[in-house]
Amino acid sequence: MIAFGVMSVKLESEQSYINDIANLAESCGMQCFRFIPTKINPLTLQVKGKKFNSQTKSWIEDEFPLPAIIYDRCFYGDDEHSKQCLPIVSWLKTRTDLTFLGYGLPNKLELYESLKTTVLSAYLPLTQLASNPDIVLNELTARKRIILKPTNGSQGNGIYYLKKNKKSIHVKTEKQKNIISRIFPDESKLIKWLEPFLNKRQYLLQPYLELANDELKPFDLRILLQKDMDGKWGEMGRGIRIGSTGGILSNLSAGGTVLPYPDWSATFPQAKKEYINQELDYILSRLPLILENAFLTLFEIGIDIGIAKDGSIWILDINSKPGRKVLLHTRPDIKETLNLAPLLYGKHLSQMGHLERKSYYEKTLSH
């Protein structure tokens, strides 16, 4: 049997998804394990983790060799444990005796710098590093409305909307499904707030895009691409995420709701619907190959697309460790297909040996 390991920062994260994978592993000729990076012995390469027992449908504490196929589902925070895990995972990805389903993507700024020289550059919001308050203030004065987002952020956490009014500056964010607003009476007060804010964490600056519907609810389109059992890219599905009225996030973790894409697009005139679909087809047919040429091999990509009021289409975010909630809301019938996908692609990689893989040493892996 092929040893298939799911690696995460917390042993019990994504419990339901990983249990579903484990239940299907034996039917694919695989034994499923799960572990965290800090439980690997660097000398013996033995791991203390859990092994799935297909008879009892339960996880058993065990010590085992590093699985030959690894599915990286590590989501890093700012905590000490995440900081310990990062270099271990980077080290694992240099090893030629291990095969990862996907090798991940760099941070949002590196992604932007790489994609802006490609045929997809027109779909990217202008992005720059918010390295100091002066840059933020200059852009805010010129554009009146801007967005600040963490370079390494996920799930919409830490995104700020800034709007310059005649006599004040309005700052808005969302935390725990609540919209938090603050008014700064002048630029000096904003700078005083920005200095420690930008020193604490690296932020990107982007123009504000009109991505709200007629009810002033922010929305975007989430699309999931995955490789199949033959290593070929395909779309698994798409759905519209809709946030709260007056909010800035559409993420489900921020309280967003989901609408099936056909239901949403059915409200448009035929010409507009065809235009949007052609643009999306163009992006999706090129993005995976561009990413894999620029970085290392991938297994899946979650793409967030913004469709502005003026009809412009924007690539808002690209995630190499996407969730599946949007698809399962719109197409619950696809659940087993999604759960089988990592196993089938892992089996493909084990049969291909090292032919499918790019050498880590050819490029720099970054987070």
Side-chain angles (χ1 to χ4, degrees):
M1 273 196 165
I2 302 161
F4 182 93
V6 183
M7 181 175 66
S8 53
V9 170
K10 295 176 183 173
L11 198 58
E12 305 309 323
S13 66
E14 297 191 290
Q15 188 88 298
S16 174
Y17 176 49
I18 295 168
N19 284 349
D20 288 341
I21 291 172
N23 274 308
L24 295 167
E26 191 175 42
S27 67
C28 298
M30 291 180 156
Q31 170 75 63
C32 201
F33 301 86
R34 63 177 312 179
F35 62 96
I36 61 175
T38 49
K39 291 296 182 181
I40 300 167
N41 184 319
L43 299 177
T44 63
L45 295 185
Q46 290 285 115
V47 191
K48 287 181 179 176
K50 292 188 175 184
K51 176 174 73 174
F52 189 75
N53 185 316
S54 56
Q55 270 70 51
T56 60
K57 307 289 185 190
S58 61
W59 294 94
I60 303 160
E61 298 273 351
D62 196 14
E63 188 168 346
F64 44 86
L66 264 172
I69 304 287
I70 298 175
Y71 187 19
D72 176 9
R73 295 297 292 177
C74 289
F75 297 97
Y76 305 105
D78 294 325
D79 57 288
E80 280 306 309
H81 182 62
S82 288
K83 289 171 185 172
Q84 289 171 359
C85 289
L86 263 167
I88 298 170
V89 174
S90 295
W91 164 69
L92 289 176
K93 288 180 179 177
T94 68
R95 298 189 63 90
T96 54
D97 57 335
L98 302 175
T99 300
F100 281 77
L101 293 195
Y103 285 79
L105 290 169
N107 66 44
K108 289 177 172 62
L109 186 60
E110 288 181 63
L111 257 179
Y112 171 77
E113 292 296 335
S114 182
L115 289 175
K116 75 176 185 181
T117 59
T118 71
V119 294
L120 298 179
S121 60
Y123 300 97
L124 304 174
L126 185 65
T127 302
Q128 61 180 301
L129 188 63
S131 52
N132 62 65
D134 288 341
I135 289 173
V136 176
L137 210 55
N138 289 341
E139 284 295 307
L140 187 57
T141 302
R143 297 182 180 276
K144 306 305 178 193
R145 292 188 292 178
I146 61 170
I147 292 286
L148 291 177
K149 58 174 69 169
T151 307
N152 290 301
S154 63
Q155 296 188 318
N157 293 323
I159 294 180
Y160 287 80
Y161 161 84
L162 284 73
K163 181 184 180 185
K164 186 173 174 61
N165 302 311
K166 281 184 179 178
K167 293 185 179 178
S168 64
I169 296 148
H170 182 197
V171 177
K172 184 163 65 174
T173 189
E174 288 188 47
K175 287 181 183 175
Q176 297 172 336
K177 302 181 183 180
N178 294 314
I179 299 167
I180 298 166
S181 286
R182 187 169 176 180
I183 305 291
F184 293 91
D186 54 49
E187 292 179 357
S188 63
K189 292 283 195 299
L190 178 71
I191 288 171
K192 197 173 179 182
W193 174 76
L194 276 171
E195 280 175 343
F197 175 80
L198 297 179
N199 285 334
K200 189 178 177 184
R201 197 174 183 185
Q202 195 177 66
Y203 273 82
L204 299 177
L205 188 157
Q206 292 178 337
Y208 173 76
L209 303 170
E210 291 277 6
L211 302 176
N213 61 19
D214 293 338
E215 298 169 319
L216 300 180
K217 292 181 177 180
F219 77 95
D220 65 11
L221 169 62
R222 164 57 69 93
I223 301 172
L224 178 65
L225 303 182
Q226 281 185 330
K227 284 182 178 172
D228 64 13
M229 59 194 298
D230 298 316
K232 293 182 179 135
W233 284 103
E235 181 182 331
M236 305 305 289
R238 58 180 72 174
I240 299 290
R241 303 186 301 183
I242 303 168
S244 306
T245 303
I248 56 174
L249 301 178
S250 58
N251 301 64
L252 300 197
S253 57
T257 55
V258 179
L259 184 67
Y261 179 79
D263 294 1
W264 175 80
S265 64
T267 62
F268 295 134
Q270 189 62 27
K272 184 176 181 181
K273 192 195 299 185
E274 284 178 10
Y275 161 74
I276 291 171
N277 286 335
Q278 283 170 7
E279 291 286 279
L280 293 176
D281 288 346
Y282 181 83
I283 292 168
L284 300 180
S285 66
R286 284 155 180 80
L287 184 61
L289 302 177
I290 288 171
L291 292 175
E292 290 195 305
N293 282 332
F295 307 108
L296 295 167
T297 52
L298 299 164
F299 156 58
E300 56 192 345
I301 314 167
I303 308 157
D304 296 336
I305 301 282
I307 301 166
K309 285 185 176 176
D310 63 3
S312 56
I313 291 175
W314 303 96
I315 299 172
L316 301 177
D317 202 7
I318 304 165
N319 190 344
S320 62
K321 297 172 189 173
R324 282 144 187 78
K325 284 183 185 175
V326 172
L327 262 66
L328 293 175
H329 270 81
T330 58
R331 288 191 61 196
D333 59 299
I334 205 174
K335 186 176 181 181
E336 185 164 310
T337 303
L338 293 176
N339 296 334
L340 271 170
L343 297 165
L344 294 177
Y345 181 58
K347 193 172 184 180
H348 164 75
L349 288 180
S350 70
Q351 290 165 349
M352 290 289 289
H354 296 295
L355 293 177
E356 177 81 3
R357 297 183 57 196
K358 288 183 183 177
S359 168
Y360 168 88
Y361 301 102
E362 290 173 8
K363 296 191 171 75
T364 303
L365 183 73
S366 56
H367 296 274

